């Protein structure tokens, strides 16, 4: 496929309807606000409240606190001025620095998620009874919150991968049908 053919296809794309545009803008505004305002405190607070209540695996509350803090950092980094301006305009250094920091924080969050998963799933099921002195315990609220938050994250990742594969298959099928 040559460059002119690709540009012709891009220019031939029809504009979306007004309700579709409004819905997409609403979603694109609602998701970051939700990510900044709701999700990080829900991760941060149980970890901070029960910081000393899991001797069985004392890293679980720390995992939740760090996830909450870095979720806020990642959300704020995504709000940095990364918009592109006309040729020759804009601060390319700031844009590049923003991309680098965003990538580094995302990489850290990915590694932290895997590490937290090991900490959480390695003690399943923990002892929830704090009165037994023979075995270390973990607060039931803290552990179940961390367990289900991590499990739901894995389920969402799996759903996104399945949806992406289906979209890829549909795109390939549509391309094959249009070329025939």
């Amino acid at each position: 496929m040559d460059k002119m053919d690709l540009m012709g296809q891009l220019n031939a794309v029809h504009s979306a309807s007004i309700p579709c545009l409004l819905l997409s803008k609403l979603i694109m505004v609602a998701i970051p606000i939700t990510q900044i305002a709701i999700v990080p405190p829900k991760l941060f607070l149980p970890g901070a409240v029960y910081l000393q209540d899991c001797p069985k695996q004392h890293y679980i509350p720390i995992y939740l606190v760090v996830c909450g803090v870095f979720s806020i950092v990642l959300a704020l980094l995504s709000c940095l001025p990364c918009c592109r301006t006309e040729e020759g305009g804009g601060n390319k250094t700031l844009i590049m620095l923003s991309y680098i920091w965003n990538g580094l924080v995302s990489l850290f969050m990915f590694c932290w998620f895997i590490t937290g998963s090991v900490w959480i799933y390695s003690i399943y099921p923990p002892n929830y009874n704090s009165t037994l002195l023979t075995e270390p315990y973990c607060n039931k609220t803290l552990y179940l919150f961390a367990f289900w938050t991590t499990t739901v994250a894995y389920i969402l990742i799996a759903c996104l991968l399945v949806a992406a594969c289906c979209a890829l298959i549909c795109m390939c099928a549509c391309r094959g049908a249009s070329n025939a």
Side-chain angles (χ1 to χ4, degrees):
M1 180 183 275
D2 65 346
K3 185 177 180 180
M4 292 304 284
D5 187 35
L6 179 63
M7 291 305 290
Q9 287 179 357
L10 287 176
N11 289 333
V13 172
H14 300 288
S15 62
S17 66
I18 291 177
C20 183
L21 287 173
L22 288 175
L23 182 63
S24 67
K25 288 188 184 285
L26 179 66
I27 290 171
M28 294 309 288
V29 168
I31 290 174
I33 289 173
T34 302
Q35 185 180 5
I36 292 171
I38 297 172
V39 175
K42 287 195 180 237
L43 288 173
F44 176 82
L45 290 175
V49 169
Y50 300 111
L51 195 58
Q52 303 298 322
D53 289 343
C54 192
K56 175 96 174 171
Q57 181 53 269
H58 61 278
Y59 290 124
I60 291 176
I62 295 169
Y63 164 73
L64 291 174
V65 169
V66 171
C67 276
V69 169
F70 273 87
S71 294
I72 293 171
V73 169
L74 189 60
L76 292 175
L77 279 175
S78 67
C79 295
L80 284 178
C82 295
C83 60
R84 296 175 192 231
T85 58
E86 306 299 321
E87 289 283 327
N91 190 346
K92 292 181 181 181
T93 306
L94 180 61
I95 292 170
M96 187 57 69
L97 187 63
S98 172
Y99 285 143
I100 290 170
W101 274 111
N102 202 348
L104 287 174
V105 171
S106 297
L107 178 65
F108 172 78
M109 287 292 290
F110 174 74
C111 294
W112 191 250
F113 179 72
I114 299 298
T115 305
S117 298
V118 170
W119 291 332
I120 291 167
Y121 295 129
S122 68
I123 65 167
Y124 181 82
N127 170 28
Y128 298 125
N129 191 352
S130 62
T131 59
L132 289 177
L133 298 175
T134 58
E135 185 180 346
Y137 73 99
C138 193
N139 181 283
K140 187 173 186 175
T141 303
L142 172 73
Y143 183 79
L144 290 177
F145 179 81
F147 178 84
W148 283 110
T149 303
T150 304
T151 303
V152 167
Y154 277 115
I155 291 169
L156 290 175
I157 290 169
C159 290
L160 286 173
L161 286 174
V162 168
C165 288
C166 290
L168 187 61
I169 290 169
C170 288
M171 288 172 37
C172 290
C174 290
R175 177 184 280 174
S178 67
N179 288 340

